[in-house]
């Protein structure tokens, strides 16, 4: 079996992931969440416009800048992860014979104005990581039908935690870049 992916493409993808991790590190160091969000937007716009692993094809008008809602401080929370007593696992087909394996870690309770309970998963590959996908009312209409991601620590998309509480900021929801 031969791969159609070249070594250069693999190194470019590693570079994309490294830049995402560095971007989130800069966001965590920002003096305010609003300034962190501005850094995040600018960094993502640069990656989507210029990086060879951009999921946007050449000429896509979104390469001039992605659309974002204005930052809303009411959507930022420090939330305690409530462990679950289940051992729920998911295997999700991700294309061309590939799968993602998840184990349910627990859940968080998003307060007003959202008022929702959201499952937090552990990725059982990439060396593991916290994964928080969210599917809201925009899924399949104005956003990807499978939902968006909020945290993916295996790939560096992480706003921080203190080993008990997660920083969850819905202003940072993003589409999978595949």
């Amino acid at each position: 079996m031969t791969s159609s992916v070249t070594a250069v493409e693999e190194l470019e993808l590693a570079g994309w992931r490294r830049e995402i991790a560095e971007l989130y590190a800069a966001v965590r160091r920002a003096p305010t969440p609003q300034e962190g969000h501005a850094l995040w937007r600018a960094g993502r716009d640069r990656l989507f416009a210029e990086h060879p692993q951009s999921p946007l094809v050449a000429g896509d008008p979104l390469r001039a800048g992605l659309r974002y809602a204005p930052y809303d401080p009411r959507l930022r929370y420090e939330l305690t992860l409530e462990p679950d007593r289940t051992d729920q696992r998911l295997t999700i087909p991700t294309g061309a014979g590939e799968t993602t394996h998840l184990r349910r870690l627990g859940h968080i309770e998003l307060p007003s104005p959202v008022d929702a309970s959201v499952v937090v998963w552990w990725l059982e590959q990439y060396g593991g990581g916290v994964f928080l996908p969210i599917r809201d009312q925009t899924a399949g209409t104005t956003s990807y039908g499978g939902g968006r991601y909020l945290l993916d620590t295996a790939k560096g998309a992480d706003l921080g935690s203190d080993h008990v509480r997660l920083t969850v900021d819905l202003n940072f929801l993003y589409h999978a870049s595949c």
Side-chain angles (χ1 to χ4, degrees), residues 4 12 51 54 64 87 92 136 150 161 173:
S4 62
E12 289 171 350
H51 199 281
S54 174
D87 189 32
I92 302 169
D136 62 13
L150 189 53
S161 73
L173 280 169

Side-chain angles (χ1 to χ4, degrees), residues 162-175:
D162 64 5
H163 307 293
V164 176
R165 295 162 45 96
L166 295 172
T167 299
V168 175
D169 190 330
L170 298 175
N171 293 287
F172 287 83
L173 280 169
Y174 67 94
H175 296 278

Side-chain angles (χ1 to χ4, degrees), residues 12-56:
E12 289 171 350
L13 180 57
W16 172 278
R17 289 182 178 165
R18 184 172 41 259
E19 288 191 51
I20 289 292
E22 290 167 359
L23 178 57
Y24 275 85
V27 166
R28 288 189 301 271
R29 288 190 306 269
T32 67
Q34 291 86 345
E35 290 173 88
H37 190 256
L39 283 171
W40 181 76
R41 288 176 57 165
R44 287 181 55 81
D45 279 348
R46 183 187 53 75
L47 282 167
F48 277 85
E50 301 170 5
H51 199 281
Q53 283 289 315
S54 174
L56 301 176

Side-chain angles (χ1 to χ4, degrees), residues 70-84:
Y71 187 84
D72 184 347
R74 297 175 307 147
L75 300 177
R76 183 179 180 88
Y77 313 102
E78 301 293 326
L79 300 173
T80 300
L81 175 66
E82 300 294 338
D84 285 344

